[in-house]
Amino acid sequence: MENKKSIHRISKMICLPVLAAGAFIAITATGCSDKEVKTLPDFVEQTMQLVWSDEFDNDGPVNPDSWEYKTGAGGWGNNEVQNYTKEEANSYCSDGTLKICAVRNGHKWTSARLVTQYHQTFKYGYIEFRAKIPTQNGTWPALWMMPERSKYGTWPRSGEIDVMEFATATWGDKAYGTIHCRNGYGGNTLSSVGVPVSKPDKKWHTYAVDWQEDHISWYYDGELLTTYKNPYLEKDNWMSWPFDQEFHIIMNLAMGGTLGGDIDKKLEKAVMEVDYVRVYQK
């Protein structure tokens, strides 16, 4: 899916990165707030164009032309405790950002899981999120991608691309990027990398993947973390590389579960705030 309309927002794009000695250094121009600072790798600006984004500039629910709600409880295969809803208490846009809120109601938790399935799907590109994420024990925010159709079979056979997962109870201050496929999934993946994040609940950071035909690379604040290469196996390459199909985008805030761990007993609410989601393609 490619929507070639120009959707750069001047207020969010006015601060541009300055590159020196191969490092990505973001500076703030006069009048720019912290939320407007942007870090984008040089190769993206030089070789790609923005084909789709959501800047969350509206107030109220997310744009129904781009997003669906995945609702329900049952643990989602990871022993999570939240019930995903489409209620405004769990997800809404205001002041130029999306808030995904996990809320405790007595002994139960509600939250939101938003997907672009059936609306916006992509095959290859630089997919970037800018977000603040919760760090309380028990929270498990994630920005990730799943196949639009399961060509190679059910999970993990058709693949999963995790752009960012953060679980204080499991990883401390590290955010992780991971892939799952038939030949490596769960706790035995073919590629998974963590990076310490400075005050992720207080500061804006970008989390991204450069997904192309021959590789998937993870980026944090514009800097390369690691690369997983298409092995081009002579037989059954899909087992290690099912990433040749259309994928859709997912944003959610889980509670508890295998990575979220024990929830802080004093916690009443947790929030993941997303400034934008942007997709660049060649």
Side-chain angles (χ1 to χ4, degrees):
M1 190 292 304
E2 293 191 9
N3 184 354
K4 301 288 187 181
K5 65 182 180 180
S6 176
I7 45 183
H8 284 79
R9 303 299 176 88
I10 295 176
S11 63
K12 291 189 177 182
M13 302 293 284
I14 190 171
C15 302
L16 299 176
V18 173
L19 302 178
F24 301 111
I25 305 173
I27 64 171
T28 304
T30 302
C32 290
S33 70
D34 171 68
K35 191 168 78 69
E36 292 166 339
V37 175
K38 170 180 164 293
T39 305
L40 193 67
D42 194 26
F43 76 90
V44 178
E45 293 189 326
Q46 293 179 356
T47 66
M48 299 186 189
Q49 60 180 316
L50 186 66
V51 297
W52 178 81
S53 80
D54 198 329
E55 308 292 325
F56 305 113
D57 287 338
N58 60 295
D59 288 337
V62 291
N63 183 354
D65 292 333
S66 293
W67 301 97
E68 294 276 347
Y69 299 90
K70 286 286 187 179
T71 61
W76 296 86
N78 301 298
N79 300 312
E80 302 161 33
V81 303
Q82 79 288 332
N83 178 26
Y84 287 131
T85 83
K86 59 176 66 176
E87 301 301 321
E88 189 169 340
N90 295 124
S91 62
Y92 62 92
C93 301
S94 66
D95 300 322
T97 66
L98 166 68
K99 285 80 171 175
I100 297 179
C101 308
V103 181
R104 185 161 73 92
N105 300 285
H107 297 292
K108 297 182 179 180
W109 282 88
T110 57
S111 188
R113 176 172 176 161
L114 304 175
V115 304
T116 64
Q117 191 173 21
Y118 311 127
H119 296 287
Q120 307 290 344
T121 64
F122 308 93
K123 181 179 176 181
Y124 309 139
Y126 187 85
I127 298 95
E128 181 187 60
F129 300 82
R130 193 160 190 263
K132 292 180 181 178
I133 54 179
T135 60
Q136 300 99 326
N137 281 336
T139 59
W140 181 2
L143 307 166
W144 50 304
M145 302 180 71
M146 286 287 284
E148 185 72 359
R149 294 176 178 81
S150 298
K151 177 178 179 179
Y152 302 112
T154 58
W155 191 91
R157 297 168 68 90
S158 292
E160 174 182 326
I161 302 172
D162 297 331
V163 182
M164 184 285 300
E165 290 182 284
F166 192 94
T168 300
T170 301
W171 295 317
D173 66 348
K174 288 185 177 181
Y176 269 78
T178 306
I179 59 163
H180 300 275
C181 59
R182 175 62 181 83
N183 282 346
Y185 57 93
N188 188 32
T189 62
L190 297 182
S191 181
S192 183
V193 61
V195 59
V197 182
S198 173
K199 299 180 179 179
D201 57 335
K202 305 296 184 183
K203 296 181 178 180
W204 293 102
H205 295 285
T206 59
Y207 309 91
V209 291
D210 178 39
W211 167 35
Q212 303 299 334
E213 182 178 357
D214 61 348
H215 73 270
I216 299 174
S217 296
W218 285 261
Y219 288 79
Y220 165 63
D221 284 347
E223 294 194 23
L224 176 65
L225 297 179
T226 192
T227 295
Y228 172 70
K229 295 183 178 180
N230 185 341
Y232 291 110
L233 301 175
E234 292 185 6
K235 182 179 180 181
D236 293 328
N237 193 56
W238 68 268
M239 291 187 178
S240 296
W241 188 268
F243 310 109
D244 57 357
Q245 304 296 312
E246 296 278 330
F247 275 57
H248 61 265
I249 292 168
I250 306 172
M251 304 182 295
N252 69 286
L253 175 51
M255 297 297 297
T258 53
L259 290 182
D262 293 335
I263 302 171
D264 185 339
K265 294 181 179 180
K266 297 181 180 179
L267 187 61
E268 298 284 339
K269 182 178 181 179
V271 179
M272 176 166 69
E273 189 172 5
V274 182
D275 183 18
Y276 60 71
V277 184
R278 293 175 181 161
V279 179
Y280 300 80
Q281 291 180 334
K282 294 179 179 179

